[in-house]
Amino acid sequence: MSAVAGRGSQLGEVRTGDGAWRTFRRGLALSPEISTGLTVTLLLALVATAGRVVVPIAVQQTIDSGLNTGSGPDLGYVRWMIALAAGGVLVTVVAAYFMNRRIFQASEAGLATLRTKAFRHVHDLSVLTQDTERRGSLVSRVTSDVDTISQFVQWGGLIMLVSIGQLIIATVVMAVYSWQLTLLVWICFLPLFLALRTFQRMLSSAYMVVRERVGGMLGAISESVVGAQAVRAYAVEGRTQQRIDDAVESHRVAASRAQRLAATAFSTGEVVAGLANAAIVVVGVLLGVAGDISLGRMLAFLFLVTLFVAPVQVGTEVLSEAQNAIAGWRRVLGILDTPADVADPADNGVRLPRGPIDVRFEHVSYAYPNGPTVLHEVDVAIARHTRVAVVGETGSGKTTFAKLLTRLMDPVEGRVLVDGIDLRDIRFDSLRERVVMVPQEGFLFDDTLAANLRYGRPEATDDDLLIAVTELGLGEWLDSLPFGLQTPVGQRGESLSAGERQLVALARAYLADPDLLVLDEATSAVDPATEVRLARALEGISRGRTSVTIAHRLSTAEAADEVFVFDRGRLVEAGPHAELVEKGGVYAALHAAWVSQSR
Amino acid sequence: MRDERQATLREGVRILVRAMRDEPVILGIAVAGSAVYGFATVAAAEVIGRVTDRVVVPAFREGETTTGALALTALAIMVTALVKAGGIVVRRYFAGLGQYRLNARYRRQVSRQYLRLPLSWHHQHSTGKLLSNANADVEASFWPIAPLPFALGVVVMLVFALVSMFLADPLLALVGALVFPAILLLNFVYQRRLSPLATRAQALRAELSGVAHESFDGALVVKAMGRESAETERFAKVAGQLRDANAAVGRVRGAFDPLLEALPNLGVLAVLIIGSARVADGDMAAGTLVQVAYLLTITAFPIRAIGFVLGELPRATVGWRRVQAVLDATGALPHGTGSLDGDAGPAHLGVRDVTYSYVEGTPVLDGVHLDVEPGRTVAVVGSTGSGKSTLASLLVRLVDPGGGAVLLDGTDLRHLEPGAVAGAVALVFQQPFIFEDSVRDNVTLGLSVPDDDVWAALRLAQGDRFVHELDGDLDARIGERGATLSGGQRQRLALARALVRRPRLLVLDDATSAVDPEVERRILAGLRDAALPSTVVVVAYRRATIALADEVVYVEDGRVSARGTHTELLAASPGYRDLITAYERDAAERARAGTDQEVRS
């Protein structure tokens, strides 16, 4: 676990040390669909590839056995042979079709599985691990990273497979025709094959720069969009535009530079092919004069050389793609390799019956990986039906307390017991049904208000929703919305105000009907009157329920059965409001400060 | 369907024409390079044919050859190869250059629009969509530019190839005349079948990304409510659709690619069968047979470039339509020519019967009328959703009122010249935007002020301490949207940004909500003692914040329902009293309930 935070946002590089081959094999193991029936696919590929030498052989046969026979032209043989060749070409088409089809189907099925596994795993990771990553980078693991693999398998990988096959088969045919010319062709092309890696390295570093600049460009443009308000309020349009222009220009320059390299690399194949052709004609004629090769065989070489050009031309691109695909694969595997350190015991876990809940913290300490201890030795019990308020200054450990209570994190030491059972032994589906937390930032999904309210209880009817909203005292607010329950809330709920989002989040949790409701500053953006109304409503309906409220306004504490006071990572006081005020300790001071501020 | 396809084609061609007009020289060079390549390709086959007849065949027949003939042969082959390679370099490099210049040009134009268009326009478009308009959509629009010169060069090549074949042997040329159009036709059919499938896959890819984005953004909610399986199901459903869509693309590609490859091969076989008969009859030289067969072999691939362009057109038109929508959007806030006296001290603010609605018929502000004398501090108080933030954004002219007017020193904001409002008024938001930049630049936003002033502003905003602790002080870089700072730190930085400008009107929209109460107290005390030359409007709930104000304005149902000092309002306005004393009343009621209980027990 400690390794996770130490790595920062390096989730994908977890197994950087692994070779490409190992990544490839592990990747295949995780998507078994890709390798099922691979033998048949490879056999089809063999047939499809073999078809590529049909034409050169036909040329050779036509000239040597059809026209240049000692006993005059044999057109009957030519017709017979060409018919056979045409048959060969058609078989190739059929084989290639089935090969393509199988590759597409298998790879798509395998990658869809991989995507879904990785997606699920991201949700299974602990909050802590999720928070160390940019959300965008997690998204790319299940989208573009997988896309690079699929593109490679279906384009570059396919070309690589066919290219290697056609090089081998062309070489075999060449060797049968003339070992001398075969050697010659290879002498021309070998340096180029060897240079491919260098070309590719130069290109990939050029494209790396391009990708970085794309990031910079997107960042600059996003300021004009996300910061639209700030840009206008401070009239910094000119400055923002200048930053965008600079970023756009530097991206263009980098892309153009990479393009120059790519164009040059691509054209070398043509130059070498020309060189090989010239050499074949010169040496071939000399061999022919010496009687070591037939005319047809020599001419067939010109056709066979064309089979060398395509692999060289696309070679650098294919290698880059392969590299990207391996990197993408590694990043996806990196997600799957990251341990879900707050793991669901699933079938090994206990399922708790519904009903009032009690909680006990036993010597609980928490420290962030490689960080200082933020919660020390907490020993406390929350009895059934109790309403607890947790107070303390920013950084005092109260949010940590809530996260441990809801098992968003596990304690480093000690244990948290619910109904006498260690949280770590309770199945998630049972735990999340009974214990629900409402975080501060009221995240909503881009859907209607109704759909959001129903999130924790999909089977709830519209009437259920209305009842819940009314019970929370929010009926008037709902009526003020132009489309009522059908109001679209926008992305992240941004069509509503911050306070309204919190209201929805609270109602959503209430509808889920948990036995223990944990509110983490869940009403911080709501006006006082609404907040008090909500608090009252919650009290009414939470009788018979256990609740823990992290409070930023001490009015909540005044109303609670019990107040937990945190200070610098320790639980320093616990007891009813009146008692603590009387005691004259930390809470009394906090309360006095709050009263002077708010009244 | 057919009409739609034709429309796409027409529109696609229009994009290509526009691109050629925007970058005539660079794309012209690319096309010229491609034409040279096309010519050299045909010439290479001609050379092979002639060499066969004049050097190879005689040498094999007579058993001897000359060094001169061989040298000349090698030279001819090499020259055509080098010209061909040169053509490729020029074509590919300049095509790429043109493509990137076009991308850059339209990205600049799109982002200019983002900065020019009013905030109301921004509210109607999601962030993700606008970013992809500037990035992916621009790129898609000009993607066909890369293969375009290639395709145009191929047209030149085809003309040369047919001429060369007819000159060589009219009968064999017939094979070419059949095979070339067949390849083109097959290409058309291929792209026509492929493009709707590819478009669908593209759309699904975007949808999948949307699902993942939203789900990961809300990861905490998903976890807190135990909805991981439901989310995975939602994702798996779209992933499955994408899988099927990609497999459908694969079936079409899998069928057409081998066919396109087989066609020229069948052409070569036809040439061999017809040609060998003509050679046997003595009507044609063997070299001609080789030449035509070779020509068909080496032109097979380039012909497909036309298909590459056609294949990209549907995606390009979709992208271009989106880009065009941004470029054609209108409705900037028009400016006047009026100016304000910059040294006049605190400004006078007048709000005259202002109305504003986001949704037609449900006004958020409904006739707000308000005067704030220079140097006064006014607190705007109202319940959640009462339109306070809307009012704040009207004061700095982020939006214009639907009715009524906002006046600064008696001048309607709409009559002021560009920059005049921002020069006099500063608004600090509840959720401030932090630029990916240094602390200094985040405070100054390009305004040239000495570091001492920056520090002074930070000190007043109670932000100097944490800035000192950052690595590099004012030069410390702040990450994407200030992700490395806490909410309170971001608010303090934003406050300093406003203070450093010494605004004549300062508007604080719940701008200290994420700051600890004690820190907030110090900020407010600082503002009061600093004797800022400002008129201040502050939106707040906290009693202490309100206490800073000379006067309180209570907003209810979209209008000013009461105004006066805090004490006056407590007495005069029941709504205000309810809102502001909610905690006390709550506490009092609880105390009473507690006593009752005790009495009863």
Side-chain angles (χ1 to χ4, degrees):
Chain A
M1 178 150 127
S2 63
V4 173
R7 276 197 301 271
S9 60
Q10 302 280 310
L11 279 189
E13 314 310 324
V14 174
R15 291 187 166 263
T16 315
D18 281 6
W21 184 240
R22 216 186 109 87
T23 305
F24 185 66
R25 282 185 38 196
R26 287 198 58 236
L28 283 186
L30 279 165
S31 315
E33 294 92 338
I34 297 182
S35 33
T36 341
L38 195 62
T39 326
V40 177
T41 310
L42 285 176
L43 280 174
L44 287 168
L46 188 70
V47 176
T49 314
R52 305 211 161 177
V53 291
V54 165
V55 164
I57 294 177
V59 169
Q60 182 266 333
Q61 286 291 317
T62 305
I63 292 172
D64 285 348
S65 308
L67 296 174
N68 273 8
T69 55
S71 51
D74 181 354
L75 292 179
Y77 173 77
V78 172
R79 270 190 288 268
W80 179 82
M81 185 272 302
I82 295 285
L84 198 68
V89 168
L90 292 178
V91 168
T92 308
V93 170
V94 174
Y97 169 67
F98 283 107
M99 169 194 73
N100 281 332
R101 207 188 146 112
R102 290 176 66 91
I103 286 181
F104 269 89
Q105 214 125 33
S107 57
E108 281 302 323
L111 294 174
T113 309
L114 183 69
R115 258 190 233 280
T116 310
K117 272 186 194 158
F119 178 89
R120 172 66 203 226
H121 197 76
V122 168
H123 276 303
D124 286 341
L125 292 173
S126 67
V127 212
L128 197 61
T129 316
Q130 287 173 346
D131 287 347
T132 55
E133 279 292 300
R134 276 184 173 187
R135 294 298 144 113
S137 129
L138 289 176
V139 172
S140 71
R141 304 301 163 85
V142 297
T143 55
S144 55
D145 282 340
V146 177
D147 291 339
T148 59
I149 307 172
S150 109
Q151 168 151 20
F152 172 70
V153 173
Q154 295 160 10
W155 190 79
L158 199 61
I159 288 181
M160 199 187 249
L161 184 73
V162 171
S163 290
I164 293 173
Q166 87 184 32
L167 284 177
I168 293 172
I169 290 175
T171 305
V172 169
V173 175
M174 282 179 172
V176 170
Y177 287 169
S178 158
W179 64 267
Q180 297 96 328
L181 288 185
T182 309
L183 204 63
L184 197 64
V185 169
W186 268 101
I187 288 172
C188 289
F189 277 96
L190 195 61
L192 200 52
F193 284 127
L194 296 177
L196 276 184
R197 279 292 285 167
T198 317
F199 275 152
Q200 185 263 329
R201 262 189 221 119
M202 286 163 65
L203 263 176
S204 79
S205 70
Y207 280 118
M208 179 108 74
V209 177
V210 175
R211 272 197 298 276
E212 276 165 20
R213 305 262 167 102
V214 169
M217 184 176 75
L218 281 178
I221 293 176
S222 79
E223 291 189 340
S224 73
V225 176
V226 186
Q229 275 198 336
V231 166
R232 280 162 187 72
Y234 289 92
V236 286
E237 287 90 348
R239 180 173 181 272
T240 312
Q241 185 67 58
Q242 191 55 52
R243 283 155 69 102
I244 295 174
D245 286 356
D246 291 349
V248 166
E249 182 61 14
S250 88
H251 168 256
R252 187 192 68 77
V253 169
S256 301
R257 194 178 302 139
Q259 185 68 17
R260 199 167 55 214
L261 263 173
T264 312
F266 189 83
S267 68
T268 49
E270 287 293 343
V271 177
V272 173
L275 196 69
N277 280 343
I280 286 166
V281 174
V282 171
V283 177
V285 166
L286 292 174
L287 285 173
V289 168
D292 285 340
I293 192 172
S294 69
L295 177 63
R297 289 183 170 196
M298 192 226 103
L299 290 173
F301 262 87
L302 296 178
F303 287 80
L304 286 165
V305 165
T306 60
L307 293 178
F308 276 63
V309 179
V312 172
Q313 279 182 335
V314 294
T316 50
E317 266 172 81
V318 168
L319 283 178
S320 294
E321 245 190 40
Q323 206 178 37
N324 291 342
I326 291 289
W329 222 332
R330 202 173 271 152
R331 281 194 295 270
V332 180
L333 294 179
I335 282 285
L336 289 166
D337 283 341
T338 307
D341 41 13
V342 179
D344 183 1
D347 291 338
N348 298 325
V350 184
R351 194 184 287 279
L352 293 177
R354 298 290 309 254
I357 215 167
D358 74 61
V359 184
R360 206 162 73 237
F361 273 58
E362 287 184 353
H363 311 295
V364 171
S365 294
Y366 186 78
Y368 285 98
N370 304 329
T373 304
V374 290
L375 203 65
H376 300 267
E377 296 269 322
V378 174
D379 268 294
V380 77
I382 301 171
R384 292 203 164 98
H385 310 302
T386 321
R387 284 170 292 122
V388 173
V390 179
V391 303
E393 290 191 341
T394 309
S396 61
K398 47 186 205 283
T399 293
T400 306
F401 177 77
K403 285 183 175 166
L404 292 170
L405 177 62
T406 48
R407 207 176 169 224
L408 291 177
M409 306 193 302
D410 281 333
V412 174
E413 270 171 59
R415 49 187 199 151
V416 181
L417 305 172
V418 161
D419 290 348
I421 296 172
D422 193 321
L423 275 183
R424 284 170 287 209
D425 296 331
I426 304 172
R427 295 175 57 116
F428 270 13
D429 50 5
S430 173
L431 179 68
R432 302 290 180 222
E433 192 180 61
R434 303 199 65 205
V435 180
V436 166
M437 178 173 108
V438 185
Q440 185 173 4
E441 55 276 11
F443 178 93
L444 303 185
F445 292 85
D446 186 5
D447 207 327
T448 60
L449 186 58
N452 273 287
L453 289 172
R454 212 173 259 141
Y455 192 69
R457 211 172 90 203
E459 73 280 4
T461 63
D462 277 7
D463 283 342
D464 293 339
L465 304 186
L466 287 173
I467 291 169
V469 170
T470 316
E471 280 178 346
L472 285 171
L474 301 173
E476 217 173 291
W477 166 73
L478 183 65
D479 291 341
S480 77
L481 294 176
F483 305 106
L485 280 177
Q486 296 314 313
T487 305
V489 303
Q491 278 191 72
R492 290 185 212 86
E494 277 161 7
S495 301
L496 303 179
S497 77
E500 290 172 320
R501 285 201 291 276
Q502 290 190 333
L503 299 182
V504 180
L506 194 67
R508 171 173 66 190
Y510 170 58
L511 262 155
D513 189 30
D515 297 321
L516 171 60
L517 188 59
V518 181
L519 307 177
D520 184 3
E521 308 208 359
T523 50
S524 59
V526 174
D527 71 70
T530 308
E531 189 181 28
V532 166
R533 206 162 59 235
L534 263 178
R536 293 252 156 168
L538 276 174
E539 272 164 43
I541 55 194
S542 66
R543 288 198 202 289
R545 219 185 287 258
T546 314
S547 75
V548 173
T549 308
I550 299 192
H552 64 294
R553 290 170 187 166
L554 296 199
S555 55
T556 318
E558 292 173 2
D561 297 323
E562 204 164 354
V563 182
F564 290 175
V565 186
F566 281 88
D567 188 29
R568 275 167 286 174
R570 289 176 198 280
L571 177 64
V572 290
E573 290 169 5
H577 163 75
E579 213 169 89
L580 293 183
V581 169
E582 211 153 297
K583 192 174 153 198
V586 178
Y587 180 75
L590 275 174
H591 188 255
W594 184 75
V595 167
S596 78
Q597 275 246 329
S598 65
R599 290 178 194 169
Chain B
M1 189 68 184
R2 176 177 210 94
D3 286 350
E4 197 180 311
R5 264 202 301 265
Q6 277 173 354
T8 301
L9 189 66
R10 256 201 313 277
E11 237 178 293
V13 170
R14 230 176 288 146
I15 299 171
L16 299 180
V17 171
R18 168 184 283 264
M20 291 297 276
R21 268 205 208 125
D22 281 343
E23 295 293 343
V25 177
I26 286 186
L27 292 180
I29 295 174
V31 173
S34 182
V36 167
Y37 162 80
F39 174 75
T41 303
V42 178
E46 286 265 357
V47 167
I48 294 289
R50 299 218 174 145
V51 163
T52 306
D53 278 345
R54 296 196 189 159
V55 182
V56 181
V57 173
F60 273 71
R61 195 169 49 223
E62 276 136 41
E64 60 176 16
T65 188
T66 63
T67 320
L70 286 181
L72 210 63
T73 300
L75 189 69
I77 294 174
M78 276 313 294
V79 166
T80 49
L82 285 174
V83 172
K84 214 168 144 185
I88 291 178
V89 173
V90 170
R91 178 195 84 216
R92 284 191 72 130
Y93 178 58
F94 282 91
L97 218 57
Q99 186 193 357
Y100 299 133
R101 285 172 72 105
L102 285 160
N103 284 346
R105 173 196 292 255
Y106 285 95
R107 278 179 180 139
R108 281 194 293 265
Q109 288 190 13
V110 165
S111 60
R112 271 193 172 67
Q113 281 290 81
Y114 290 167
L115 289 168
R116 194 184 66 79
L117 288 165
L119 217 48
S120 53
W121 184 86
H122 277 268
H123 286 319
Q124 289 156 12
H125 299 85
S126 77
T127 308
K129 200 172 156 291
L130 294 185
L131 283 181
S132 94
N133 286 160
N135 184 42
D137 289 335
V138 167
E139 200 167 86
S141 302
F142 300 107
W143 200 250
I145 296 308
L148 178 67
F150 194 8
L152 293 176
V154 164
V155 175
V156 175
M157 186 185 81
L158 284 181
V159 173
F160 279 125
L162 283 173
V163 170
S164 153
M165 282 183 187
F166 270 105
L167 290 179
D169 184 82
L171 204 59
L172 289 190
L174 273 183
V175 177
L178 283 175
V179 169
F180 288 150
I183 294 176
L184 285 178
L185 189 70
L186 197 61
N187 246 315
F188 272 110
V189 179
Y190 182 15
Q191 297 308 338
R192 183 179 271 200
R193 293 279 304 277
L194 188 65
S195 67
L197 297 175
T199 311
R200 178 169 156 71
Q202 191 62 28
L204 282 167
R205 216 167 281 139
E207 194 182 329
L208 188 77
S209 164
V211 170
H213 247 293
E214 184 177 53
S215 190
F216 292 167
D217 262 351
L220 187 59
V221 175
V222 173
K223 205 181 270 295
M225 308 200 74
R227 299 283 290 167
E228 292 93 340
S229 296
E231 287 294 307
T232 306
E233 234 169 78
R234 183 158 84 104
F235 181 82
K237 193 175 145 221
V238 185
Q241 287 170 340
L242 177 60
R243 175 197 59 212
D244 296 342
N246 278 339
V249 167
R251 277 194 296 278
V252 172
R253 264 181 58 180
F256 280 88
D257 279 345
L259 277 178
L260 280 169
E261 211 167 282
L263 259 182
N265 284 345
L266 292 175
V268 172
L269 294 180
V271 165
L272 287 179
I273 214 165
I274 298 168
S276 58
R278 286 178 62 75
V279 172
D281 292 349
D283 293 341
M284 198 179 83
T288 309
L289 175 66
V290 174
Q291 177 191 333
V292 176
Y294 191 70
L295 187 58
L296 277 175
T297 305
I298 58 177
T299 50
F301 180 75
I303 292 179
R304 297 179 59 181
I306 295 174
F308 299 157
V309 176
L310 292 177
E312 291 296 340
L313 283 188
R315 215 159 69 88
T317 51
V318 172
W320 179 246
R321 260 178 236 162
R322 293 184 190 149
V323 171
Q324 188 123 49
V326 175
L327 295 182
D328 289 349
T330 49
L333 297 180
H335 291 281
T337 52
S339 58
L340 295 164
D341 185 354
D343 301 321
H348 176 277
L349 170 69
V351 179
R352 301 271 173 272
D353 294 315
V354 161
T355 60
Y356 192 87
S357 22
Y358 291 99
V359 179
E360 195 94 19
T362 40
V364 193
L365 299 179
D366 189 10
V368 173
H369 200 86
L370 182 67
D371 271 287
V372 183
E373 295 305 317
R376 301 275 284 176
T377 296
V378 169
V380 176
V381 180
S383 61
T384 301
S386 65
K388 303 180 301 292
S389 293
T390 306
L391 180 61
S393 57
L394 282 163
L395 301 187
V396 289
R397 209 184 167 211
L398 287 180
V399 287
D400 277 336
V406 178
L407 313 178
L408 208 58
D409 287 344
T411 313
D412 191 323
L413 295 187
R414 285 170 290 206
H415 298 155
L416 289 170
E417 62 187 4
V421 176
V425 188
L427 166 62
V428 188
F429 304 94
Q430 184 187 10
Q431 282 165 339
F433 182 80
I434 303 294
F435 292 86
E436 197 167 346
D437 212 331
S438 66
V439 171
R440 178 187 294 103
D441 284 345
N442 259 296
V443 174
T444 63
L445 293 184
L447 198 72
S448 68
V449 284
D451 278 3
D452 284 350
D453 288 7
V454 175
W455 279 118
L458 281 168
R459 211 170 302 126
L460 205 51
Q462 299 292 319
D464 54 330
R465 279 251 304 280
F466 87 80
V467 171
H468 270 306
E469 280 164 19
L470 294 176
D471 195 17
D473 282 359
L474 293 182
D475 292 316
R477 304 273 312 173
I478 302 173
E480 190 189 29
R481 316 226 174 111
T484 47
L485 302 178
S486 76
Q489 290 172 331
R490 284 201 292 270
Q491 285 191 339
R492 282 176 273 170
L493 202 56
L495 186 59
R497 181 189 289 167
L499 295 176
V500 83
R501 300 181 140 62
R502 309 184 69 79
R504 300 180 51 224
L505 171 64
L506 176 64
V507 185
L508 305 176
D509 182 7
D510 209 3
T512 48
S513 61
V515 175
D516 274 347
E518 173 54 24
V519 177
E520 187 192 29
R521 196 190 56 72
R522 286 203 296 268
I523 293 176
L524 299 179
L527 281 184
R528 169 147 280 195
D529 298 343
L532 273 171
S534 297
T535 306
V536 181
V537 174
V538 48
V539 172
Y541 297 129
R542 292 195 197 175
R543 190 67 80 75
T545 322
I546 295 168
L548 174 90
D550 302 312
E551 219 180 340
V552 180
V553 171
Y554 178 57
V555 182
E556 196 176 23
D557 297 332
R559 50 177 77 226
V560 175
S561 98
R563 93 176 270 189
T565 64
H566 170 64
T567 331
E568 285 166 9
L569 286 196
L570 277 184
S573 166
Y576 180 75
R577 193 167 52 234
D578 276 359
L579 184 71
I580 225 69
T581 61
Y583 297 139
E584 288 164 71
R585 276 183 299 123
D586 190 41
E589 276 172 40
R590 283 176 199 289
R592 209 163 41 241
T595 335
D596 289 353
Q597 257 173 18
E598 272 164 45
V599 171
R600 251 182 275 137
S601 60

